[in-house]
Amino acid sequence: DRDGDDHYDAASALIKSLRGSDPDAAMYWLARMLEGGEDIRFLCRRLIILASEDIGNADPQALSVAVAAMQACEFVGLPECQLTLAQTVAYLACAPKSNAATIAIGQARGDIREGRTLPVPVHLRDAHYSGAKELGHGKGYQYSHRSEDGVAAQDYLGVDREYYQPVNRGFEAELLRRLEDIRAKLRTAREDASNASTQEKPA
C-alpha cells in the first residue's frame, strides 16, 4: 500500500525507530516498505532529512552517509540497492542523536516571522561597492584569521541571542565545549561595544 495509510504509517514507524536508535525495528520497517514496492527516492529523501533533523552534528558523517546512499541507489537500483539502504538504516539508527540545529533554525525563523528583525551591524556590511566606505560600512571589522585562535572577538548580531544549543552527545559534545569558549569571547565583545556606544551618546 504505497499510496494509502499503510504507506504513511510504515514511513512514520521507520523514522521513529531510527530516531529512537532501534536498528532492528528500523530494518523491519525498511523491509516492509521495500516489499510493498515503496519508491526508493522517497526512502532516500526521508533518510537524508532524518540525518539532519535528528542526528545533526552529533554525527555530521550521518548526512554524508545518507546522501551517498541516495547516489548509490540512483546508480545501482533494485534489488541490489537494498543493501545500501540496509547499511544506511543501521548506521543512522546507531548514530548519536541531536536536534539542536533543527531547533535553532526554527527559533531564528520564528523571530524573523514575528517581526524581531535586526539591522546588519555596520562593521559587517559590504564595503566593496562604490560609496560604502563613506557610509562607514566595514569600519572596525576584524578578520578572524588574524586572531591567534581564529576567533575575532566582535559583535556579529547586535543582541545577546543563542539559537544553537549543542547537546552533550557524540561530536556535538566537542562543539559544545568549543562554543562555550567562543561565546564567552563574543559576549565580552558585545558588552564592550554596548558600553562604548553608551559612552559616545551625548549627556
Side-chain angles (χ1 to χ4, degrees):
D1 182 14
R2 57 181 288 177
D3 298 315
D5 290 344
D6 282 353
H7 162 81
Y8 294 106
D9 288 344
S12 177
L14 172 63
I15 296 306
K16 289 172 181 171
S17 298
L18 290 168
R19 184 182 296 137
S21 301
D22 187 335
D24 303 307
M27 202 66 68
Y28 174 83
W29 296 118
L30 171 64
R32 174 83 168 262
M33 296 179 81
L34 289 172
E35 289 297 317
E38 184 57 70
D39 180 5
I40 298 302
R41 289 183 177 182
F42 172 80
L43 284 169
C44 290
R45 282 196 301 271
R46 294 307 307 165
L47 295 177
I48 290 171
I49 292 167
L50 177 127
S52 290
E53 181 179 9
D54 294 301
I55 297 173
N57 286 324
D59 183 355
Q61 185 67 18
L63 180 58
S64 298
V65 169
V67 171
M70 177 269 295
Q71 294 170 333
C73 287
E74 285 283 339
F75 184 71
V76 174
L78 285 170
E80 289 87 353
C81 76
Q82 68 177 313
L83 307 175
T84 301
L85 289 169
Q87 176 187 353
T88 304
V89 160
Y91 186 95
L92 298 181
C94 295
K97 305 298 189 292
S98 171
N99 67 346
T102 300
I103 292 172
I105 189 60
Q107 290 178 341
R109 295 192 71 175
D111 276 353
I112 293 165
R113 289 189 187 115
E114 293 169 16
R116 293 188 289 274
T117 56
L118 301 167
V120 176
V122 174
H123 63 285
L124 299 183
R125 294 182 186 179
D126 184 9
H128 292 91
Y129 63 90
S130 177
K133 289 187 178 179
E134 286 75 10
L135 296 172
H137 293 189
K139 183 179 180 181
Y141 171 70
Q142 300 173 50
Y143 188 55
S144 296
H145 295 289
R146 293 186 183 134
S147 300
E148 183 178 349
D149 56 0
V151 177
Q154 60 191 334
D155 188 4
Y156 292 95
L157 192 56
V159 296
D160 189 5
R161 190 76 168 94
E162 295 181 358
Y163 295 109
Y164 182 48
Q165 300 292 339
V167 300
N168 196 23
R169 291 189 292 274
F171 179 72
E172 204 161 50
E174 174 63 26
L175 295 182
L176 175 60
R177 289 189 289 273
R178 175 169 167 72
L179 190 54
E180 287 172 348
D181 292 337
I182 292 172
R183 280 182 172 157
K185 292 179 182 179
L186 298 182
R187 192 174 299 113
T188 299
R190 191 160 43 244
E191 290 170 355
D192 290 346
S194 177
N195 292 336
S197 176
T198 300
Q199 291 171 4
E200 289 172 4
K201 290 181 180 178

